[in-house]
Amino acid sequence: MAKKRRPQTQAAAKPQAGDAPIPVVGAREPCPCGSGRRYKACHGREASHAVAELVRRPFEGLPGEADWVALRELVPAATVELKLKDGLPEGVPSVTLATVLPMAWPALRRDNGSVLLGLQNDTPTGDLSRDLADTLRRALAAEPGTPVAAERHGAEGPRLQDLLDPEGPFEPVVHTGFEFWVENAENATGEVAASLERANAAAIPTVRLSGLDAAYWCETPEKNHLRWVMTHPEETLLDALARLHAAGGTSLGEGTRLVGSFRAHGLTVPVWDLPSGMSAADIEKPAHAFAERLAGALADESPLTADERRARAGLTSRQVTLN
C-alpha cells in the first residue's frame, strides 16, 4: 500500500536565505530550503556525507594520541586537564577531559564555570575530533550549572587540533571510580550517592604503567590484561611483533601470553593475558624490557623468515577492529 505523501508546508515552499541554517528533517520530506527536492537529495546529501566520512586517525597530531585512544576505548574512569591554544575564556577556570560523564552527557559546565568534556560518547559524524571540538565550544559558552546536549552539526568547523595547545601536556589520571563527576563527592547522599555506587561497581580496575606511553593494566574476574596502544605504523609493528613472537620474545613473564591486538582509531593495541595474581606493579619491569626488545625488532628491516611469517599470520587473524 502506497504511503501518503506529507503535504509540503508553506515554510518549505519558500527558498531560505543563503546564509540561513537548514533544519534537519526526514529524508523523504521536502527540503526546507524550498528547492522542491526531497531532503535526502538536497541538503541532506551533505549531512549524509558528513556522517559517512570517517577520519581514520581523529587524534593524530594531538599530544598523547595513543592515550586519547586508550581513554576513548579502554579505560573506564580517567581525567586529563586540557590546555587551550588561546587560553581559557573568562569565567572558565579549567577544562577537563573525562572518559565518561553522568547520563552520558557530551559535556558539563559546572556551577563554578569549569568544563568537563566527555570522550566516550556516540558522535554524529565520522570525524570524532571535529565532533568533540564542537561540543567543547558549546560547553565553553554554556551557562554554569548546565549539561551540554548532543547536537548534530555540519562537516565544517574547527577540530580539537585547532583548539588545543599542541605543546600542552597530556597526562591522564586514572581513577578507581567516578567521584570526579561531582564536587565534594565524599558528602554525596541520596540518588547522587547511589548513582556513584552503581557506576563504581561496574568499573574495571585499571592502572596506567609509569614511563610507558599508553600501556594499561586491567583486572578482570578470570585473568588480568595488559593493553598497550602503540603509534607505530601497523604493518611495521606487526612485523616486529611477529619477529619477537617467533623468537619467544613477546612473553612478559611466566603465565603471560600475547593473544592478539585491537585496531582502534588508526592505531594498533597489542593485548596480553596475565595471571590473575599479576599486579600492575609486577608487570612494570617486564613491560619496560619488552619495550627495549620491540625497539630492536622495529629497526630490523630484513625479510621475515618462514616462522616469522606464520607468527604474523596468527597475530593478524586475532586482530579485532573496535571502530
Side-chain angles (χ1 to χ4, degrees):
M1 185 175 179
K3 294 183 178 179
K4 293 183 179 179
R5 293 192 58 167
R6 180 175 297 186
Q8 186 167 335
T9 64
Q10 184 178 1
K14 295 181 179 180
Q16 295 192 5
D19 295 333
I22 305 299
V24 176
V25 298
R28 293 179 175 273
E29 294 186 53
C31 186
C33 76
S35 66
R37 291 180 292 172
R38 290 181 177 180
Y39 179 69
K40 70 176 183 180
C42 193
H43 281 84
R45 296 177 66 180
E46 180 181 347
S48 297
H49 179 73
V51 172
E53 190 69 25
L54 178 65
V55 175
R56 183 170 176 268
R57 288 180 64 173
F59 305 119
E60 186 175 16
L62 289 173
E65 179 188 6
D67 279 306
W68 276 92
V69 172
L71 268 57
R72 165 73 181 184
E73 300 293 341
L74 306 174
V75 181
T79 56
V80 186
E81 293 297 315
L82 298 180
K83 186 176 181 181
L84 303 187
K85 184 180 295 185
D86 297 328
L88 294 170
E90 184 178 355
V92 180
S94 64
V95 175
T96 302
L97 181 73
T99 48
V100 67
L101 295 177
M103 307 297 293
W105 286 327
L108 173 66
R109 183 87 186 271
R110 281 181 161 162
D111 290 338
N112 67 356
S114 61
V115 167
L116 288 177
L117 176 66
L119 183 56
Q120 296 179 11
N121 291 302
D122 292 334
T123 54
T125 79
D127 188 349
L128 181 55
S129 177
R130 197 181 307 281
D131 295 334
L132 288 168
D134 177 75
T135 300
L136 175 56
R137 293 175 74 197
R138 291 188 290 116
L140 292 171
E143 290 294 325
T146 60
V148 176
E151 186 173 298
R152 189 174 181 178
H153 61 90
E156 303 301 323
R159 308 177 74 238
L160 288 173
Q161 288 83 347
D162 302 314
L163 301 182
L164 301 183
D165 185 349
E167 304 299 326
F170 192 83
E171 301 172 347
V173 177
V174 180
H175 303 276
T176 57
F178 296 93
E179 281 75 16
F180 61 85
W181 281 353
V182 295
E183 299 175 273
N184 300 318
E186 63 276 8
N187 297 323
T189 59
E191 182 55 33
V192 172
S195 296
L196 281 174
E197 185 176 356
R198 288 192 297 268
N200 290 346
I204 296 174
T206 301
V207 176
R208 186 178 188 270
L209 301 190
S210 61
L212 296 170
D213 290 337
Y216 289 84
W217 169 94
C218 68
E219 180 183 21
T220 59
E222 295 183 359
K223 62 184 69 174
N224 298 342
H225 303 280
L226 176 64
R227 303 180 290 190
W228 195 338
V229 186
M230 299 184 176
T231 57
H232 311 293
E234 182 177 328
E235 297 303 313
T236 304
L237 177 58
L238 289 175
D239 282 351
L241 291 173
R243 295 181 195 279
L244 293 176
H245 200 61
T250 55
S251 173
L252 299 177
E254 185 177 355
T256 68
R257 185 169 69 97
L258 176 64
V259 293
S261 62
F262 298 128
R263 184 189 290 114
H265 303 291
L267 300 186
T268 304
V269 189
V271 179
W272 283 261
D273 279 352
L274 311 174
S276 58
M278 181 173 281
S279 67
D282 295 333
I283 203 65
E284 288 269 3
K285 186 174 180 180
H288 279 271
F290 173 80
E292 295 181 3
R293 296 195 297 273
L294 179 62
L298 287 167
D300 188 347
E301 297 181 353
S302 62
L304 296 179
T305 66
D307 286 344
E308 290 167 349
R309 289 196 300 272
R310 282 192 290 271
R312 194 186 194 284
L315 290 171
T316 303
S317 69
R318 298 192 297 274
Q319 191 173 47
V320 176
T321 300
L322 296 183
N323 49 64

